[in-house]
């Protein structure tokens, strides 16, 4: 009799232990969501971010990812800081400002972590061939789309204009997104569209469908000055043929698009995400041609100032 009671008691205890164990496993294996902040739907960040989210959801166990259209770099870092997203594509110069608490950031953002460097983002000054605008100095007195207010694009425009001793007092500046700026150029309410993005850029391709465009080149001495004054800039050439009607190479400058997160993403997740992205670069290239420039060999370029996620760094150095 006693043995039977003990046996039944043991069975109940085992069942309770298993129930607790299963409940604990369920809690620990709760699906993680990774929201990726990108940029305008007509820019480059958005299609790349959407493709990344699909790869992460497919290849990283127990993680569901999605991409959000945003105001791009500055907005993305603020969203990371506030915990509204988990990862973001940003310009490396904007990440530099955030970490150092300069320019558009009043305080240092200490918890940023790098995942990988992606591709060059090229500063492009676009107008119509018929405008007669041929140099940056010709922008004086013109209606110029300088990017969304406080954006990475706007910071680049201000820096480039400064190299030519031009300020907003000398132009009629318009704070618009890529898509809004493209529409303004097409309907004649703007004369020049400035943007920083991987080429070919959808907004520029869209404008070029209306009538012949002209991309304003930067002067060699100004390019040199910019790379000295702002170490995150690199000299870049937009190859002839990148856009319809552009039959000459266009000298300009670029920053790097990078993928960042915060210290809230653990090393294992960071490594798994990085692996999912870099093991599927062909899929990214299908989302946007600029992804052809993403390589594992260059994935740490322009990241020297930012603390890396441990898992991401380990994978990239393997």
């Amino acid at each position: 009799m006693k043995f039977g009671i003990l046996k039944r008691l043991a069975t109940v205890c085992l069942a309770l232990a298993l129930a607790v164990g299963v409940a604990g496993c369920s809690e620990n294996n709760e699906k993680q969501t990774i929201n990726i902040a990108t940029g305008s739907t007509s820019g480059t960040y958005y299609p790349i971010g959407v493709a990344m989210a699909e790869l992460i959801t497919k290849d990283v166990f127990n993680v569901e990812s999605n991409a959000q259209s945003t105001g791009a770099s500055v907005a993305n870092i603020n969203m990371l800081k506030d915990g509204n997203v988990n990862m973001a594509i940003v310009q490396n110069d904007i990440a530099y400002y955030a970490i150092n608490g300069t320019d558009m950031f009043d305080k240092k953002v200490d918890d940023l972590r790098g995942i990988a460097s992606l591709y060059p983002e090229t500063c492009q000054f676009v107008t119509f061939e018929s405008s007669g605008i041929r140099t940056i100095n010709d922008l004086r007195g013109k209606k110029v789309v300088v990017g969304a207010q406080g954006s990475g694009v706007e910071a680049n425009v201000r820096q480039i204009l400064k190299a030519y001793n031009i300020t907003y007092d000398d132009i009629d500046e318009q704070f618009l997104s890529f898509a809004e700026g493209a529409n303004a150029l097409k309907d004649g309410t703007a004369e020049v569209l400035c943007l920083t993005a991987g080429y070919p850029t959808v907004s520029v391709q869209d404008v070029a469908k209306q009538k012949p465009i002209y991309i304003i080149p930067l002067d060699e001495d100004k390019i040199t000055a910019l790379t000295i004054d702002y170490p995150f800039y690199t000299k870049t050439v937009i190859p002839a043929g990148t856009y319809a009607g552009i039959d000459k190479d266009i000298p300009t400058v670029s920053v790097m698009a990078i993928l960042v997160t915060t210290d809230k993403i653990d090393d294992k997740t960071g490594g798994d995400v990085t692996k999912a992205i870099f093991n599927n670069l062909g899929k990214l290239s299908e989302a946007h041609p600029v992804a052809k420039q993403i390589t594992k060999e260059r994935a740490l370029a322009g990241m020297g100032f930012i603390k890396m996620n441990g898992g991401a760094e380990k994978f990239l150095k393997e």
Side-chain angles (χ1 to χ4, degrees):
M1 178 72 74
K2 285 184 179 179
F3 177 75
I5 293 172
L6 289 172
K7 185 176 179 180
R8 286 196 299 274
L9 184 59
T11 302
V12 170
C13 290
L14 178 60
L16 286 171
L18 285 171
V20 171
V22 168
C25 288
S26 174
E27 253 183 33
N28 294 334
N29 286 315
E30 186 178 343
K31 183 166 278 193
Q32 182 179 1
T33 300
I34 293 180
N35 296 314
I36 305 174
T38 62
S40 164
T41 54
S42 63
T44 312
Y45 286 2
Y46 184 73
I48 294 292
V50 169
M52 284 182 175
E54 290 174 354
L55 293 173
I56 292 166
T57 299
K58 175 178 172 287
D59 286 3
V60 181
F61 175 71
N62 228 18
V63 170
E64 183 174 342
S65 182
N66 57 73
Q68 296 179 213
S69 175
T70 69
S73 294
V74 176
N76 290 355
I77 286 178
N78 286 327
M79 290 173 77
L80 274 175
K81 182 182 66 174
D82 295 339
N84 296 324
V85 295
N86 314 96
M87 290 187 180
I89 304 174
V90 301
Q91 293 176 198
N92 67 338
D93 55 334
I94 304 304
Y96 177 88
Y97 302 146
I99 289 169
N100 290 282
T102 59
D103 285 72
M104 62 284 293
F105 296 96
D106 296 329
K107 295 181 180 179
K108 294 181 180 181
V109 182
D110 294 321
D111 61 351
L112 280 186
R113 298 291 182 268
I115 293 291
S117 185
L118 302 175
Y119 56 85
E121 289 204 276
T122 303
C123 299
Q124 303 169 65
F125 289 70
V126 184
T127 186
F128 284 123
E129 175 77 30
S130 58
S131 72
I133 299 170
R134 295 293 178 266
T135 71
I136 298 297
N137 280 317
D138 291 340
L139 298 188
R140 297 175 191 274
K142 300 297 191 296
K143 293 175 284 189
V144 182
V145 175
V146 297
Q149 192 156 26
S151 67
V153 176
E154 194 216 338
N156 297 145
V157 173
R158 281 191 283 104
Q159 291 157 0
I160 292 169
L161 292 180
K162 184 180 178 183
Y164 285 82
N165 294 316
I166 297 174
T167 69
Y168 285 173
D169 291 337
D170 302 309
I171 65 173
D172 179 3
E173 74 276 12
Q174 298 183 17
F175 300 103
L176 301 172
S177 69
F178 287 6
E180 293 168 338
N183 288 333
L185 191 59
K186 288 189 292 184
D187 66 25
T189 55
E191 296 166 277
V192 179
L193 168 63
C194 304
L195 48 84
T196 301
Y199 59 77
T201 309
V202 173
S203 297
V204 182
Q205 290 175 317
D206 181 46
V207 170
K209 289 177 183 176
Q210 178 164 317
K211 57 183 181 179
I213 63 169
Y214 181 84
I215 300 181
I216 303 169
L218 300 190
D219 298 299
E220 289 295 331
D221 62 325
K222 300 299 189 289
I223 290 173
T224 300
L226 284 163
T227 57
I228 292 172
D229 292 342
Y230 309 98
F232 39 76
Y233 281 126
T234 58
K235 178 180 178 180
T236 303
V237 173
I238 302 173
T242 298
Y243 297 110
I246 302 299
D247 56 5
K248 293 182 180 179
D249 291 348
I250 309 296
T252 183
V253 292
S254 292
V255 294
M256 292 298 294
I258 63 176
L259 183 63
V260 296
T261 184
T262 68
D263 57 5
K264 294 178 179 62
I265 293 291
D266 62 82
D267 289 349
K268 183 181 185 310
T269 303
D272 289 344
V273 165
T274 310
K275 183 178 180 180
I277 292 169
F278 283 86
N279 282 355
N280 292 281
L281 292 179
K283 292 290 185 184
L284 283 188
S285 298
E286 292 174 10
H288 195 286
V290 75
K292 293 176 182 176
Q293 300 179 57
I294 303 175
T295 66
K296 188 176 178 182
E297 291 72 26
R298 294 200 300 265
L300 292 171
M303 303 285 280
F305 61 87
I306 185 170
K307 185 174 180 180
M308 295 290 293
N309 172 277
E313 185 173 33
K314 181 181 178 183
F315 173 80
L316 294 174
K317 288 184 174 180
E318 285 177 351

